[in-house]
Amino acid sequence: MLRKLGRLFVIKNRFEAFLIIYALALGSSARGMVYLQDYPGFGGKLLFLATTGAVFLAGAKILDCIKLEQEVAELKASQHGQ
């Protein structure tokens, strides 16, 4: 039962990864808007850029990990086939 529940939290393909990245981007831009209101001026703009920049970094890492997991799975399949 716990294993089935745990599979819900695993990103299996690029489409799911892009959905997660989109959700992160929506949340970060909403948080960035709050920063712009709370810290008007240059400081708020820097914080807004930091929140959106974090999404770019996290998205790249997620996509790299998906690619790596697929390559590892292909390597394991080829080793078992020999």
Side-chain angles (χ1 to χ4, degrees):
M1 178 66 179
L2 288 176
R3 191 167 288 184
K4 286 184 180 180
L5 184 64
R7 285 191 299 176
L8 292 173
F9 298 99
V10 176
I11 303 170
K12 298 173 197 76
N13 55 36
R14 289 176 58 89
F15 179 72
E16 292 175 356
F18 284 122
L19 287 177
I20 298 293
I21 294 166
Y22 179 72
L24 288 172
L26 284 179
S28 74
S29 55
R31 185 67 198 161
M33 294 301 290
V34 172
Y35 282 145
L36 286 175
Q37 290 175 356
D38 289 347
Y39 305 104
F42 188 68
K45 290 178 185 176
L46 280 178
L47 288 171
F48 185 89
L49 286 173
T51 58
T52 55
V55 174
F56 282 113
L57 293 173
K61 189 66 173 176
I62 290 170
L63 291 173
D64 284 345
C65 288
I66 294 285
K67 187 177 176 182
L68 178 67
E69 287 176 358
Q70 290 173 350
E71 289 174 0
V72 167
E74 289 173 3
L75 184 61
K76 283 182 181 179
S78 68
Q79 287 179 348
H80 288 295
Q82 292 180 353

